[in-house]
Amino acid sequence: MGVRHVQSPAKATSAIQIRQVSPHSSLRRIVASFGERRADFKSIHVIRALNDRPDQFMEFYFREPYLVREKGLGFSATPTSVLVGVTSAPGKDLGFVGQIETFTVRFQPTGLARLFRLPMTESFDQGLALSDVLQKQAPALEAALAQSTRFEDRVAIAQAWIAGWLDQSRPFDEVDQIACLLAKTNGKVSISRLADRAGISARQGQRRFLRDVGVTPKFYGRLTRFDAALAARHRWPLQTWAQIAA
């Protein structure tokens, strides 16, 4: 499968080298992007992270793990691979020390639910060991990714692995379309209008959305708007919040 780069090959952000690419066209209703981070910290570097966010992703750590600290507690190391669901409880700190090398698969809003029929409410506000969630599927992918060191190779490995599960995935339906439109428009669409257009009741749509995304459509729309505002503030730091919201 081919890979289309959407950013420059490497981008420095506070000593962290970031790369990101789009998936092959056949996977774009499942996967949003593939990413990589590399850095080398001589001493611990702490950032406040894990804001409210709508992302669902799998992440793999090949050198030093990330360190996570919750309020009032010390740092603890992440597992070698994690599945992170939609997050609404910010406040955790991330710590980095030593050589950091991660590979991330970010999914479309219902991508994980479609691919593996996972109840996404169980991953809401959670960072779970991937081997606990996908006990049969994950080990082969993690082993193959660990044997490679090039980002392009890891993207190819992950795409082939995901493609191998497509035949068992749930077909794309009207709730998936609603979730994708909410994500694409940063929550700036009428959920009830989308449900009417899809021919389903608001109650039915909310129940299925909650199962496959992990939160209600209304809450997901709020998260996407907040996430978009944070991204805009990062791009244009001189703008006020009122200007960003306009």
Side-chain angles (χ1 to χ4, degrees):
M1 292 183 175
V3 176
R4 181 173 65 86
H5 286 259
V6 295
Q7 294 187 7
S8 58
K11 174 183 175 183
T13 305
S14 301
I16 301 178
Q17 299 294 317
I18 300 174
R19 301 180 71 182
Q20 183 172 301
V21 299
S22 295
H24 185 269
S25 58
S26 63
L27 302 181
R28 287 179 190 160
R29 284 187 166 181
I30 295 287
V31 178
S33 67
F34 299 97
E36 175 187 75
R37 288 181 174 86
R38 291 179 185 258
D40 190 354
F41 295 103
K42 303 303 180 184
S43 59
I44 192 164
H45 176 77
V46 179
I47 62 172
R48 192 162 186 84
L50 306 184
N51 293 308
D52 295 11
R53 64 177 186 272
D55 296 345
Q56 300 175 12
F57 58 90
M58 299 190 309
E59 195 155 69
F60 302 84
Y61 309 100
F62 301 107
R63 293 182 181 267
E64 299 297 330
Y66 282 9
L67 303 174
V68 180
R69 179 177 63 190
E70 298 193 42
K71 187 176 181 179
L73 301 175
F75 280 106
S76 60
T78 61
T80 55
S81 59
V82 296
L83 185 151
V84 178
V86 173
T87 300
S88 72
K92 294 181 181 178
D93 294 328
L94 284 186
F96 310 96
V97 65
Q99 291 187 317
I100 302 299
E101 183 181 327
T102 70
F103 180 76
T104 306
V105 183
R106 295 189 181 278
F107 289 88
Q108 297 291 0
T110 58
L112 275 166
R114 288 187 57 215
L115 197 61
F116 298 113
R117 302 177 188 269
L118 296 175
M120 297 310 297
T121 49
E122 295 182 6
S123 64
F124 173 57
D125 272 342
Q126 299 293 320
L128 307 171
L130 187 60
S131 58
D132 290 343
V133 182
L134 300 175
Q135 296 179 2
K136 296 180 179 179
Q137 302 96 327
L141 174 61
E142 186 168 4
L145 291 173
Q147 290 176 2
S148 180
T149 58
R150 297 179 67 247
F151 178 51
E152 293 81 4
D153 293 340
R154 285 174 174 160
V155 171
I157 290 167
Q159 293 201 122
W161 180 81
I162 293 168
W165 295 101
L166 285 181
D167 286 345
Q168 71 156 33
S169 66
R170 175 178 60 73
F172 190 86
D173 65 19
E174 58 274 4
V175 174
D176 303 312
Q177 181 68 20
I178 290 172
C180 285
L181 285 171
L182 280 173
K184 185 177 181 179
T185 63
N186 298 323
K188 296 178 179 178
V189 289
S190 167
I191 297 169
S192 59
R193 187 174 300 173
L194 289 176
D196 288 343
R197 188 180 301 174
I200 58 176
S201 68
R203 186 173 182 179
Q204 181 186 24
Q206 178 159 306
R207 184 177 66 251
R208 290 168 57 187
F209 196 102
L210 180 64
R211 178 196 66 196
D212 288 349
V213 179
V215 295
T216 64
K218 183 176 180 179
F219 189 74
Y220 185 79
R222 190 187 312 155
L223 281 178
T224 57
R225 288 192 296 274
F226 178 71
D227 191 60
L230 285 180
R233 185 63 183 266
H234 180 73
R235 289 194 300 271
W236 303 297
L238 298 181
Q239 285 195 349
T240 65
W241 287 113
Q243 289 173 320
I244 290 171

